[in-house]
Amino acid sequence: MYAKIQETACWLRERMPSKPTTAIVLGTGLGQLAEEIQITLAINYKDIPNFPVSTVEGHTGRLIFGKLGDRDILAMQGRFHFYEGYSMKEVTFPVRVMHEIGIKTLYVSNASGGMNPSFKIGDIMVITDHINFFPEHPLHGPNLPMGPRFPDMHEAYDKKLIELADTIASEKGIKLQHGVYLGTQGPTFETPSEYRMYHILGGDAVGMSTVPEVIVARHCGIKVFGVSIITDLGVEGIVCEVSHEEVQKAANATQPIMADLMREMINRNEVAE
Ligand code: HPA
């Protein structure tokens, strides 16, 4: 596993047009931000040695080197989900490689179902913490020499980056929610009882991604900032039918605000470096 990570990192280092320290997982809601990247090199996942290949609808599957404003960045367009059948090692492989090529800060986004009764569809929730509800742990097995056997998780989401997000949001008049993201395997959306249970357990929003990548990023010391778009509501009494299309639609409507926030975060990120 470690040898494969090294091999992929080495392959990328030979081709990298820049040495970014910032990476973005262009999850749901960050499509518009993707369009703002001045691309210098884009490589399809299928052409990168040892990389899994993305299959889910609406995810292109390529690694992008480029500039966002003045900042060199690495972006993952399309991510790997556990529900697609990948192992946790495959889901998190790109984050390991990111560490080996010098990434220090990781920005992630996703779509989620809001369980906090004060949330509305289209809200942006800054992820302040997570609950790992996946059935397999990404660090299961021999510890890779990239971090400790028992990694600390008391501040999985960087507090300074959360403060920066709040500052930018108040400057720009963007409304932000804060909350705990509960990560589940999917691919089913939740039953009303499951939403209720996850809320009782401490989740403000529930989704099917992000937690594995964040755990691995923290294991190897990468700082993380995460946001979630509330695309449907799992609030007792108002749970109604959810579809992938609706999730995409709600997320797309929030794209301009997400792009504005993330662009600004990334350009001011020396706060955290
Ligand atoms: N549950 C799980 N994942 C999701 C949801 C949800 O309600 N909405 C978007 N992704």
Side-chain angles (χ1 to χ4, degrees):
M1 171 77 179
Y2 190 54
K4 281 192 172 172
I5 295 164
Q6 295 297 333
E7 188 192 9
T8 307
C10 198
W11 188 90
L12 282 171
R13 262 190 247 109
E14 281 165 11
R15 290 158 179 82
M16 278 161 53
S18 54
K19 284 195 175 156
T21 57
T22 300
I24 318 167
V25 178
L26 294 166
T28 311
L30 286 184
Q32 184 160 329
L33 191 73
E35 282 166 28
E36 291 181 24
I37 300 170
Q38 293 160 273
I39 300 174
T40 45
L41 179 68
I43 316 170
N44 290 332
Y45 293 157
K46 65 174 172 48
D47 298 325
I48 304 174
N50 307 319
F51 244 59
V53 175
S54 182
T55 57
V56 82
E57 193 187 325
H59 291 255
T60 321
R62 55 186 196 155
L63 204 59
I64 296 171
F65 289 89
K67 273 196 186 288
L68 191 68
D70 292 330
R71 192 155 307 266
D72 287 321
I73 55 124
L74 168 67
M76 275 185 75
Q77 195 166 38
R79 61 145 65 96
F80 306 104
H81 299 89
F82 187 70
Y83 61 74
E84 292 174 89
Y86 300 110
S87 70
M88 279 300 191
K89 299 275 178 293
E90 288 171 315
V91 168
T92 56
F93 185 83
V95 180
R96 296 272 185 216
V97 172
M98 282 178 191
H99 174 262
E100 295 304 296
I101 63 173
I103 295 301
K104 304 278 186 247
T105 313
L106 176 66
Y107 293 81
V108 289
S109 81
N110 59 50
S112 64
M115 301 177 295
N116 183 320
S118 68
F119 289 1
K120 307 258 177 309
I121 289 179
D123 277 356
I124 297 174
M125 182 187 89
V126 171
I127 305 176
T128 55
D129 202 0
H130 72 220
I131 296 174
N132 179 15
F133 231 77
F134 282 88
E136 187 186 313
H137 199 284
L139 303 182
H140 177 91
N143 188 41
L144 297 183
M146 303 174 80
R149 172 71 285 192
F150 302 106
D152 172 69
M153 283 284 150
H154 91 283
E155 193 184 321
Y157 299 82
D158 192 82
K159 282 208 166 65
K160 286 207 173 98
L161 288 171
I162 294 173
E163 274 169 29
L164 179 61
D166 288 337
T167 305
I168 291 167
S170 66
E171 279 170 22
K172 291 179 173 281
I174 297 172
K175 177 182 147 202
L176 287 185
Q177 304 281 12
H178 283 201
V180 175
Y181 177 88
L182 188 145
T184 63
Q185 61 176 315
T188 43
F189 293 113
E190 285 63 34
T191 63
S193 303
E194 285 166 346
Y195 282 124
R196 183 154 44 90
M197 173 182 76
Y198 290 149
H199 187 49
I200 291 169
L201 290 178
D204 292 296
V206 54
M208 305 173 197
S209 67
T210 304
V211 168
E213 292 105 310
V214 172
I215 290 173
V216 165
R218 295 307 301 139
H219 177 242
C220 49
I222 297 175
K223 286 176 180 159
V224 175
F225 176 75
V227 280
S228 191
I229 302 182
I230 307 300
T231 55
D232 52 276
L233 294 175
V235 175
E236 209 166 353
I238 60 165
V239 178
C240 54
E241 196 179 331
V242 192
S243 68
H244 183 56
E245 291 68 33
E246 273 175 86
V247 165
Q248 294 285 350
K249 205 172 132 203
N252 287 345
T254 313
Q255 289 208 33
I257 308 170
M258 284 283 279
D260 207 15
L261 176 70
M262 291 299 238
R263 182 195 323 108
E264 206 63 26
M265 293 281 305
I266 288 163
N267 277 289
R268 292 199 213 168
N269 82 351
E270 45 279 14
V271 174
E273 280 182 5

